[in-house]
Amino acid sequence: MSIAKQYARPLDLKNGRIEMSHGAGGRAMAHLIAELIAPAFDNVFLAQGNDGAVMPAVSGRLVMSTDSHVVSPLFFSGGDIGCLSVHGTINDVAMMGAQPLYLSAAFILEEGLLLADLKRIVDSMAQAAMQAGVPIVTGDTKVVERGKGDGIYITTTAVGIVRDGINLSGNLAIAGDKILLSGTIGDHGMAVLSQRENLSFDAPIVSDTAALHTLVETMLASGANLRVLRDPTRGGLATTLNEIAGQSGVGMLIDEASIPVNTTVAAACEFLGLDPLYVANEGKLVAICAPGDADKLLSVMRAHPQARQAAIIGEVSAERFVQMTTKLGGRRIVDWLAGEQLPRIC
Amino acid sequence: MSIAKQYARPLDLKNGRIEMSHGAGGRAMAHLIAELIAPAFDNVFLAQGNDGAVMPAVSGRLVMSTDSHVVSPLFFSGGDIGCLSVHGTINDVAMMGAQPLYLSAAFILEEGLLLADLKRIVDSMAQAAMQAGVPIVTGDTKVVERGKGDGIYITTTAVGIVRDGINLSGNLAIAGDKILLSGTIGDHGMAVLSQRENLSFDAPIVSDTAALHTLVETMLASGANLRVLRDPTRGGLATTLNEIAGQSGVGMLIDEASIPVNTTVAAACEFLGLDPLYVANEGKLVAICAPGDADKLLSVMRAHPQARQAAIIGEVSAERFVQMTTKLGGRRIVDWLAGEQLPRIC
């Protein structure tokens, strides 16, 4: 973008801050994009420099998903709002059994945001997108006045394609199906919360934020009869299971002892009176598959680095609510998250 | 969505307000979506009820564009943030010569937002999407604390396809090409500003917010050799011309007398010391075409209800800056917007 050359003075990436002019559509905005954003995301589509990007023709059904990210604080152990915004949207597309192809990124910046923080976030997005092999092809930048935002909000949208023969949806679970979970629960939510509340535990709690599309690819390639994939983010595992149960008109019976929880996360939850079943994850998935394929699917998952601790955690029932056999041997209803356990976790 | 049936008490759409729980991923959020958002946007893709939507296969190159909308105030003469967010993103895709197919919508709601206002905005989006024939197939809802937002921010993303043989891009303007404008400038920006500042003029200034894809279709069907289409939003006509000049490595010479400006807009601009060349539009486009096709293109545009006042406003030059012949007969440089003329106009 030739506008960068028109500036005698580069951005002050150490002490500079976002000003209202950075969102006004004029020279300052062009400069910010040309110097700070475009070089990080660098790819042939973004380089077209238009208000939208043109990509090659695709074959397969189109999949689209979007998420706004408002996590607070912006930086936490294991990640930041930047990589989170890339992972989260890639995962939503992957959960449809699709190959994620392209991302868009729209920024709402608060006046006063440090350019250094913006750069750190943009670089983190760029790295996450590169690692995932999903380029950020188009974007937008808006600026709101001090006190009308919270540093930065990022909305990403992903498009992908799904091959013929793959049909995953929350309404396809059948009584008798097995429920698999790819690993420990509660890591992301507790990592953000401990950062926010300035809590420290013996071992740091690290967010599990990650793009899961290669894990999904492996699972699809196994030939297992998959019905549903979903990432248990806001509202946690409990809410995700209730959503699927509602969509499919079924129930679930899960076994508490089979659900992996990191020791530190379990301790932090107990200390704070939180139930890990309701705490957000950003690098885990729930899979529901035909009962005869569960063992095969489990072994394929465990062979993938992102699902070493995968487990069969229960099965789909006909009873239309979600129940859990507790470690003490009883049974309890696992309801939807009712209030706001952890606001602004993603 | 069966969750709605689980609520004994419907949302209070008269006095109710957004609470933090509406963004927590649990029951309250599901209720908000099921009762207020999903019924308005109703379509088979959204009804899948998953975190992403699966659509049929498409043929043609893929086009993608995204925009966050932070306009203040939320309601203005001629529109609101809802229809604006649909029109703006459809237009960015249309400017690539593409047929817009699907939209996503991500909401960042501020705690305390009146549900009645949210409903009015969502209904306006739904109507704009229906009129444009572009369904909102997937979405997201986040809530931020009071004082961390400004009522509502909406990020929309559009995907579309572009047929073989159509190649429009900001870098394709050639010296000698003609520059056409589809109508009056400054209407949107001055409509928002007069609402914001509580200014009243003899005649109300009405935003031109509109989806331009059928106008673009007509222009493409004319067979005119189009090089560039762009909608002059933030930064106005002046900034758009500078962007294109920069991308193409050319200049522009436009004629002030040929640029249509509504009388009230011109008067309001003069009163406030604003230059309409820098004021945002949301329902206008700039077209650059081969010189021999300009008259044909102009007559096709004028036959479309959205471009009755279309005009040839100048031509592309080799001089690498944008100049304007003024009504007084002189020439002046038309530079990029330098500061922030009108913040949060879209």
Side-chain angles (χ1 to χ4, degrees), chain B residues 198-218:
Chain B
N198 224 342
L199 303 172
S200 63
F201 301 102
D202 289 349
I205 300 178
V206 180
S207 167
D208 59 349
T209 183
L212 297 171
H213 57 310
T214 66
L215 172 61
V216 170
E217 249 172 59
T218 311

PDB file of all heavy atoms in Angstrom, chain B residues 198-218:
ATOM      1  N   ASN B 198     -28.407  17.250  17.108  1.00  0.00           N
ATOM      2  CA  ASN B 198     -29.747  17.815  17.282  1.00  0.00           C
ATOM      3  C   ASN B 198     -29.948  19.090  16.469  1.00  0.00           C
ATOM      4  O   ASN B 198     -30.555  20.048  16.931  1.00  0.00           O
ATOM      5  CB  ASN B 198     -29.989  18.085  18.768  1.00  0.00           C
ATOM      6  CG  ASN B 198     -31.380  17.636  19.171  1.00  0.00           C
ATOM      7  OD1 ASN B 198     -32.241  17.442  18.302  1.00  0.00           O
ATOM      8  ND2 ASN B 198     -31.605  17.482  20.455  1.00  0.00           N
ATOM      9  N   LEU B 199     -29.376  19.083  15.279  1.00  0.00           N
ATOM     10  CA  LEU B 199     -29.554  20.217  14.384  1.00  0.00           C
ATOM     11  C   LEU B 199     -30.808  19.997  13.555  1.00  0.00           C
ATOM     12  O   LEU B 199     -31.102  18.875  13.162  1.00  0.00           O
ATOM     13  CB  LEU B 199     -28.358  20.333  13.420  1.00  0.00           C
ATOM     14  CG  LEU B 199     -26.982  20.456  14.053  1.00  0.00           C
ATOM     15  CD1 LEU B 199     -25.904  20.360  12.982  1.00  0.00           C
ATOM     16  CD2 LEU B 199     -26.891  21.778  14.809  1.00  0.00           C
ATOM     17  N   SER B 200     -31.565  21.053  13.289  1.00  0.00           N
ATOM     18  CA  SER B 200     -32.651  20.862  12.331  1.00  0.00           C
ATOM     19  C   SER B 200     -32.524  21.898  11.223  1.00  0.00           C
ATOM     20  O   SER B 200     -32.154  23.048  11.453  1.00  0.00           O
ATOM     21  CB  SER B 200     -34.005  20.939  13.019  1.00  0.00           C
ATOM     22  OG  SER B 200     -34.186  22.218  13.557  1.00  0.00           O
ATOM     23  N   PHE B 201     -32.762  21.414  10.031  1.00  0.00           N
ATOM     24  CA  PHE B 201     -32.678  22.282   8.867  1.00  0.00           C
ATOM     25  C   PHE B 201     -34.079  22.418   8.275  1.00  0.00           C
ATOM     26  O   PHE B 201     -35.005  21.717   8.686  1.00  0.00           O
ATOM     27  CB  PHE B 201     -31.696  21.690   7.854  1.00  0.00           C
ATOM     28  CG  PHE B 201     -30.322  21.521   8.430  1.00  0.00           C
ATOM     29  CD1 PHE B 201     -29.871  20.275   8.853  1.00  0.00           C
ATOM     30  CD2 PHE B 201     -29.484  22.622   8.605  1.00  0.00           C
ATOM     31  CE1 PHE B 201     -28.612  20.129   9.411  1.00  0.00           C
ATOM     32  CE2 PHE B 201     -28.221  22.474   9.153  1.00  0.00           C
ATOM     33  CZ  PHE B 201     -27.783  21.225   9.561  1.00  0.00           C
ATOM     34  N   ASP B 202     -34.239  23.297   7.329  1.00  0.00           N
ATOM     35  CA  ASP B 202     -35.571  23.518   6.724  1.00  0.00           C
ATOM     36  C   ASP B 202     -36.180  22.196   6.257  1.00  0.00           C
ATOM     37  O   ASP B 202     -37.323  21.889   6.560  1.00  0.00           O
ATOM     38  CB  ASP B 202     -35.461  24.497   5.545  1.00  0.00           C
ATOM     39  CG  ASP B 202     -35.166  25.906   6.054  1.00  0.00           C
ATOM     40  OD1 ASP B 202     -35.262  26.117   7.272  1.00  0.00           O
ATOM     41  OD2 ASP B 202     -34.832  26.774   5.229  1.00  0.00           O
ATOM     42  N   ALA B 203     -35.389  21.433   5.502  1.00  0.00           N
ATOM     43  CA  ALA B 203     -35.851  20.116   5.071  1.00  0.00           C
ATOM     44  C   ALA B 203     -34.974  19.087   5.779  1.00  0.00           C
ATOM     45  O   ALA B 203     -33.780  19.312   5.950  1.00  0.00           O
ATOM     46  CB  ALA B 203     -35.711  19.984   3.564  1.00  0.00           C
ATOM     47  N   PRO B 204     -35.552  17.975   6.246  1.00  0.00           N
ATOM     48  CA  PRO B 204     -34.726  16.995   6.937  1.00  0.00           C
ATOM     49  C   PRO B 204     -33.722  16.350   5.972  1.00  0.00           C
ATOM     50  O   PRO B 204     -34.025  16.165   4.787  1.00  0.00           O
ATOM     51  CB  PRO B 204     -35.742  15.953   7.418  1.00  0.00           C
ATOM     52  CG  PRO B 204     -36.904  16.081   6.494  1.00  0.00           C
ATOM     53  CD  PRO B 204     -36.932  17.522   6.058  1.00  0.00           C
ATOM     54  N   ILE B 205     -32.530  16.053   6.468  1.00  0.00           N
ATOM     55  CA  ILE B 205     -31.529  15.359   5.652  1.00  0.00           C
ATOM     56  C   ILE B 205     -31.671  13.873   5.924  1.00  0.00           C
ATOM     57  O   ILE B 205     -31.655  13.448   7.078  1.00  0.00           O
ATOM     58  CB  ILE B 205     -30.115  15.844   5.999  1.00  0.00           C
ATOM     59  CG1 ILE B 205     -30.017  17.354   5.734  1.00  0.00           C
ATOM     60  CG2 ILE B 205     -29.075  15.085   5.193  1.00  0.00           C
ATOM     61  CD1 ILE B 205     -28.679  17.956   6.095  1.00  0.00           C
ATOM     62  N   VAL B 206     -31.848  13.115   4.868  1.00  0.00           N
ATOM     63  CA  VAL B 206     -32.140  11.687   4.991  1.00  0.00           C
ATOM     64  C   VAL B 206     -30.941  10.880   4.507  1.00  0.00           C
ATOM     65  O   VAL B 206     -30.402  11.133   3.429  1.00  0.00           O
ATOM     66  CB  VAL B 206     -33.397  11.330   4.152  1.00  0.00           C
ATOM     67  CG1 VAL B 206     -33.709   9.845   4.271  1.00  0.00           C
ATOM     68  CG2 VAL B 206     -34.585  12.180   4.596  1.00  0.00           C
ATOM     69  N   SER B 207     -30.519   9.909   5.310  1.00  0.00           N
ATOM     70  CA  SER B 207     -29.416   9.040   4.899  1.00  0.00           C
ATOM     71  C   SER B 207     -29.756   8.331   3.603  1.00  0.00           C
ATOM     72  O   SER B 207     -30.910   7.978   3.357  1.00  0.00           O
ATOM     73  CB  SER B 207     -29.145   7.992   5.982  1.00  0.00           C
ATOM     74  OG  SER B 207     -28.291   6.975   5.474  1.00  0.00           O
ATOM     75  N   ASP B 208     -28.747   8.104   2.780  1.00  0.00           N
ATOM     76  CA  ASP B 208     -28.952   7.380   1.520  1.00  0.00           C
ATOM     77  C   ASP B 208     -28.707   5.884   1.666  1.00  0.00           C
ATOM     78  O   ASP B 208     -28.610   5.170   0.668  1.00  0.00           O
ATOM     79  CB  ASP B 208     -28.044   7.950   0.425  1.00  0.00           C
ATOM     80  CG  ASP B 208     -26.560   7.882   0.783  1.00  0.00           C
ATOM     81  OD1 ASP B 208     -26.232   7.584   1.953  1.00  0.00           O
ATOM     82  OD2 ASP B 208     -25.710   8.144  -0.099  1.00  0.00           O
ATOM     83  N   THR B 209     -28.618   5.384   2.919  1.00  0.00           N
ATOM     84  CA  THR B 209     -28.258   3.975   3.126  1.00  0.00           C
ATOM     85  C   THR B 209     -29.108   3.034   2.270  1.00  0.00           C
ATOM     86  O   THR B 209     -30.341   3.095   2.296  1.00  0.00           O
ATOM     87  CB  THR B 209     -28.308   3.586   4.623  1.00  0.00           C
ATOM     88  OG1 THR B 209     -27.886   2.225   4.759  1.00  0.00           O
ATOM     89  CG2 THR B 209     -29.692   3.765   5.227  1.00  0.00           C
ATOM     90  N   ALA B 210     -28.457   2.199   1.489  1.00  0.00           N
ATOM     91  CA  ALA B 210     -29.144   1.294   0.554  1.00  0.00           C
ATOM     92  C   ALA B 210     -28.174   0.232   0.071  1.00  0.00           C
ATOM     93  O   ALA B 210     -26.967   0.457   0.022  1.00  0.00           O
ATOM     94  CB  ALA B 210     -29.689   2.077  -0.638  1.00  0.00           C
ATOM     95  N   ALA B 211     -28.722  -0.895  -0.306  1.00  0.00           N
ATOM     96  CA  ALA B 211     -27.921  -1.971  -0.911  1.00  0.00           C
ATOM     97  C   ALA B 211     -27.861  -1.742  -2.408  1.00  0.00           C
ATOM     98  O   ALA B 211     -28.886  -1.566  -3.058  1.00  0.00           O
ATOM     99  CB  ALA B 211     -28.553  -3.324  -0.597  1.00  0.00           C
ATOM    100  N   LEU B 212     -26.649  -1.735  -2.935  1.00  0.00           N
ATOM    101  CA  LEU B 212     -26.441  -1.317  -4.321  1.00  0.00           C
ATOM    102  C   LEU B 212     -26.220  -2.473  -5.296  1.00  0.00           C
ATOM    103  O   LEU B 212     -25.851  -2.244  -6.446  1.00  0.00           O
ATOM    104  CB  LEU B 212     -25.245  -0.360  -4.383  1.00  0.00           C
ATOM    105  CG  LEU B 212     -25.407   0.952  -3.608  1.00  0.00           C
ATOM    106  CD1 LEU B 212     -24.088   1.717  -3.568  1.00  0.00           C
ATOM    107  CD2 LEU B 212     -26.500   1.812  -4.243  1.00  0.00           C
ATOM    108  N   HIS B 213     -26.439  -3.703  -4.851  1.00  0.00           N
ATOM    109  CA  HIS B 213     -26.050  -4.826  -5.711  1.00  0.00           C
ATOM    110  C   HIS B 213     -26.896  -4.949  -6.978  1.00  0.00           C
ATOM    111  O   HIS B 213     -26.392  -5.428  -7.990  1.00  0.00           O
ATOM    112  CB  HIS B 213     -26.019  -6.135  -4.925  1.00  0.00           C
ATOM    113  CG  HIS B 213     -27.309  -6.483  -4.263  1.00  0.00           C
ATOM    114  ND1 HIS B 213     -28.000  -5.599  -3.481  1.00  0.00           N
ATOM    115  CD2 HIS B 213     -28.034  -7.625  -4.255  1.00  0.00           C
ATOM    116  CE1 HIS B 213     -29.093  -6.188  -3.007  1.00  0.00           C
ATOM    117  NE2 HIS B 213     -29.133  -7.413  -3.470  1.00  0.00           N
ATOM    118  N   THR B 214     -28.152  -4.499  -6.944  1.00  0.00           N
ATOM    119  CA  THR B 214     -28.914  -4.598  -8.203  1.00  0.00           C
ATOM    120  C   THR B 214     -28.460  -3.525  -9.188  1.00  0.00           C
ATOM    121  O   THR B 214     -28.415  -3.760 -10.398  1.00  0.00           O
ATOM    122  CB  THR B 214     -30.442  -4.504  -7.982  1.00  0.00           C
ATOM    123  OG1 THR B 214     -30.769  -3.191  -7.508  1.00  0.00           O
ATOM    124  CG2 THR B 214     -30.915  -5.544  -6.969  1.00  0.00           C
ATOM    125  N   LEU B 215     -28.077  -2.367  -8.666  1.00  0.00           N
ATOM    126  CA  LEU B 215     -27.497  -1.335  -9.546  1.00  0.00           C
ATOM    127  C   LEU B 215     -26.210  -1.866 -10.199  1.00  0.00           C
ATOM    128  O   LEU B 215     -25.997  -1.695 -11.411  1.00  0.00           O
ATOM    129  CB  LEU B 215     -27.215  -0.056  -8.744  1.00  0.00           C
ATOM    130  CG  LEU B 215     -26.444   1.051  -9.461  1.00  0.00           C
ATOM    131  CD1 LEU B 215     -27.192   1.550 -10.698  1.00  0.00           C
ATOM    132  CD2 LEU B 215     -26.147   2.226  -8.518  1.00  0.00           C
ATOM    133  N   VAL B 216     -25.389  -2.516  -9.396  1.00  0.00           N
ATOM    134  CA  VAL B 216     -24.131  -3.069  -9.930  1.00  0.00           C
ATOM    135  C   VAL B 216     -24.413  -4.122 -10.992  1.00  0.00           C
ATOM    136  O   VAL B 216     -23.785  -4.134 -12.061  1.00  0.00           O
ATOM    137  CB  VAL B 216     -23.268  -3.663  -8.787  1.00  0.00           C
ATOM    138  CG1 VAL B 216     -22.085  -4.445  -9.340  1.00  0.00           C
ATOM    139  CG2 VAL B 216     -22.788  -2.545  -7.857  1.00  0.00           C
ATOM    140  N   GLU B 217     -25.390  -4.980 -10.727  1.00  0.00           N
ATOM    141  CA  GLU B 217     -25.775  -6.005 -11.709  1.00  0.00           C
ATOM    142  C   GLU B 217     -26.133  -5.373 -13.047  1.00  0.00           C
ATOM    143  O   GLU B 217     -25.688  -5.828 -14.101  1.00  0.00           O
ATOM    144  CB  GLU B 217     -27.025  -6.737 -11.206  1.00  0.00           C
ATOM    145  CG  GLU B 217     -26.813  -8.166 -10.795  1.00  0.00           C
ATOM    146  CD  GLU B 217     -28.069  -8.713 -10.134  1.00  0.00           C
ATOM    147  OE1 GLU B 217     -29.142  -8.731 -10.783  1.00  0.00           O
ATOM    148  OE2 GLU B 217     -27.985  -9.076  -8.945  1.00  0.00           O
ATOM    149  N   THR B 218     -26.947  -4.326 -12.982  1.00  0.00           N
ATOM    150  CA  THR B 218     -27.354  -3.623 -14.198  1.00  0.00           C
ATOM    151  C   THR B 218     -26.152  -3.049 -14.931  1.00  0.00           C
ATOM    152  O   THR B 218     -26.058  -3.122 -16.162  1.00  0.00           O
ATOM    153  CB  THR B 218     -28.303  -2.456 -13.818  1.00  0.00           C
ATOM    154  OG1 THR B 218     -29.307  -2.963 -12.949  1.00  0.00           O
ATOM    155  CG2 THR B 218     -28.937  -1.838 -15.036  1.00  0.00           C
TER     156      THR B 218
END
